[in-house]
């Protein structure tokens, strides 16, 4: 699951040849159902996804893959204002929890790192309070899942600039303070290809004591004066200062 140099590769969410499939649904589809029918449908989806998550961890361990990013909508629409629900409301909720406990134990026994990367609508730097509130709810959901399955990292982009990068980062700081400790201690921040470079995020990382996930492809798209070697070293240090193993995103387009 790792090379002699300690580097291990990870898989992001999806399988092609392996029989691992995650289900979802929409608010529109749920709106046509009674609440009892909604919960029955959501319970069936949640149970199937928990079973497939267990299969996913078994599969990456068989294939020698050392880390796995779990799809965010494992329990679809859980934080929605009208269609939302808790595990306790699902008819299969107790069974789902048992499966997630199996995932946690299997991942721990096999040394598999589990993580989440919330969707792009999770934006702590937004100037719109309702967007920040929704983002906080979504991150609390990720924190709940992370606790249940033993995921160590919830990776996030800083969001938009909105005409004033420093003001946006200050809003990120204030929103971070509203998160529960179980989310705060798992949160990492990643440079992106349009708004925030490694150099932009290093002060935020230091202030909040959250590590930086360095994405080399994003850095090539949005350079900041740091070489790839320098950015790698600076990002790695943010993890090692916290006594944690670093995460990096390494990719390149086909062209």
């Amino acid at each position: 699951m790792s090379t002699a140099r300690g580097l291990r590769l990870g898989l992001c969410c999806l399988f092609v040849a392996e029989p691992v499939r995650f289900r979802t649904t929409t608010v529109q589809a749920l709106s046509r159902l009674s609440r009892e029918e909604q919960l029955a449908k959501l319970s069936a989806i949640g149970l199937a996804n928990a079973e497939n998550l267990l299969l996913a961890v078994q599969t990456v361990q068989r294939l020698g893959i050392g880390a796995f990013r779990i799809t965010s909508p494992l329990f679809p629409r859980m934080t929605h204002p009208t269609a939302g629900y808790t595990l306790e409301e699902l008819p299969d909720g107790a069974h789902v929890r048992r499966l997630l406990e199996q995932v946690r134990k299997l991942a721990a026994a096999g040394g598999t790192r589990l993580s989440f990367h919330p969707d792009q609508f999770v934006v702590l730097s937004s100037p719109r309070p309702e967007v920040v509130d929704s983002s906080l709810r979504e991150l609390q959901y990720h924190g709940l899942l992370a606790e249940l399955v033993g995921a160590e990292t919830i990776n996030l982009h800083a969001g938009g600039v909105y005409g004033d990068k420093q003001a946006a980062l200050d809003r990120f700081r204030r929103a971070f303070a509203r998160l529960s400790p179980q989310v705060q201690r798992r949160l990492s921040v990643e440079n992106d290809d349009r708004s925030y470079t490694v150099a932009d995020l290093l002060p935020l990382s230091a202030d909040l004591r959250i590590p930086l996930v360095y994405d080399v492809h994003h850095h090539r798209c949005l350079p900041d004066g740091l070489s790839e070697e320098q950015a790698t070293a600076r990002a790695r240090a943010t993890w090692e200062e916290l006594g944690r193993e670093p995460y990096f995103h390494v990719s390149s387009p086909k062209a």
Side-chain angles (χ1 to χ4, degrees), residues 82-150:
T82 58
Y85 55 95
T86 65
L87 286 181
E88 288 68 28
E89 291 180 272
L90 301 181
D92 299 301
H95 189 185
V96 168
R97 281 186 176 272
R98 288 192 294 270
L99 286 168
L100 298 182
E101 175 66 10
Q102 290 181 51
V103 169
R104 187 186 65 78
K105 290 180 177 178
L106 180 65
T112 305
R113 297 181 82 186
L114 299 178
S115 66
F116 290 94
H117 193 0
D119 293 324
Q120 68 274 8
F121 59 81
V122 178
V123 185
L124 295 184
S125 61
S126 174
R128 297 170 56 194
E130 68 274 17
V131 172
V132 175
D133 290 344
S134 175
S135 299
L136 292 170
R137 287 195 301 273
E138 194 69 16
L139 286 171
Q140 293 302 140
Y141 155 76
H142 281 82
L144 167 67
L145 293 187
E147 286 281 338
L148 291 173
V149 302

Side-chain angles (χ1 to χ4, degrees), residues 22-37:
F22 295 100
R23 296 171 54 189
T24 190
T25 188
T26 65
V27 172
Q28 183 177 7
L30 293 171
S31 67
R32 295 191 288 265
L33 305 175
S34 69
R35 185 56 176 169
E36 183 178 0
E37 292 169 330

Side-chain angles (χ1 to χ4, degrees), residues 120 122-126 156-162 168 172 192 195-196:
Q120 68 274 8
V122 178
V123 185
L124 295 184
S125 61
S126 174
L156 196 62
H157 289 291
V161 173
Y162 309 105
F172 188 106
D192 63 75
S195 301
Y196 292 96

Side-chain angles (χ1 to χ4, degrees), residues 1-254:
M1 298 179 63
S2 63
T3 69
R5 298 178 62 187
L7 178 68
R8 51 177 165 176
L9 300 181
L11 175 67
C12 174
C13 300
L14 301 177
F15 297 80
V16 176
E18 298 291 332
V20 179
R21 299 291 182 270
F22 295 100
R23 296 171 54 189
T24 190
T25 188
T26 65
V27 172
Q28 183 177 7
L30 293 171
S31 67
R32 295 191 288 265
L33 305 175
S34 69
R35 185 56 176 169
E36 183 178 0
E37 292 169 330
Q38 287 181 1
L39 292 174
K41 178 173 182 173
L42 291 163
S43 186
I45 293 173
L47 181 59
N49 286 349
E51 291 170 342
N52 273 272
L53 179 58
L54 181 60
L55 179 59
V57 176
Q58 293 168 338
T59 302
V60 297
Q61 290 184 352
R62 172 173 56 81
L63 296 174
I65 297 169
F68 181 63
R69 181 198 295 175
I70 302 171
T71 182
S72 285
L74 194 70
F75 298 105
R77 313 286 84 82
M78 192 177 226
T79 63
H80 191 270
T82 58
Y85 55 95
T86 65
L87 286 181
E88 288 68 28
E89 291 180 272
L90 301 181
D92 299 301
H95 189 185
V96 168
R97 281 186 176 272
R98 288 192 294 270
L99 286 168
L100 298 182
E101 175 66 10
Q102 290 181 51
V103 169
R104 187 186 65 78
K105 290 180 177 178
L106 180 65
T112 305
R113 297 181 82 186
L114 299 178
S115 66
F116 290 94
H117 193 0
D119 293 324
Q120 68 274 8
F121 59 81
V122 178
V123 185
L124 295 184
S125 61
S126 174
R128 297 170 56 194
E130 68 274 17
V131 172
V132 175
D133 290 344
S134 175
S135 299
L136 292 170
R137 287 195 301 273
E138 194 69 16
L139 286 171
Q140 293 302 140
Y141 155 76
H142 281 82
L144 167 67
L145 293 187
E147 286 281 338
L148 291 173
V149 302
E152 62 171 271
T153 302
I154 302 171
N155 185 42
L156 196 62
H157 289 291
V161 173
Y162 309 105
D164 189 332
K165 185 175 291 188
Q166 290 310 310
L169 290 176
D170 286 342
R171 287 194 295 271
F172 188 106
R173 290 178 172 90
R174 291 194 295 272
F176 177 85
R178 297 170 59 190
L179 291 167
S180 69
Q182 73 179 12
V183 178
Q184 288 184 348
R185 67 173 175 263
R186 289 179 168 89
L187 207 66
S188 63
V189 65
E190 177 189 346
N191 63 300
D192 63 75
D193 58 348
R194 294 186 178 186
S195 301
Y196 292 96
T197 66
V198 173
D200 290 329
L201 296 177
L202 283 169
L204 181 76
S205 170
D207 290 348
L208 300 180
R209 290 188 58 76
I210 58 176
L212 174 63
V213 174
Y214 173 44
D215 188 305
V216 65
H217 178 56
H218 290 166
H219 191 210
R220 291 167 180 165
C221 294
L222 186 65
D224 57 3
L226 294 173
S227 69
E228 291 172 11
E229 292 80 7
Q230 290 170 326
T232 298
R234 297 285 297 276
R236 180 174 180 170
T238 67
W239 293 86
E240 293 178 341
E241 287 169 5
L242 298 171
R244 297 175 61 186
E245 179 184 355
Y247 262 112
F248 295 96
H249 291 171
V250 182
S251 63
S252 60
K254 291 182 179 180

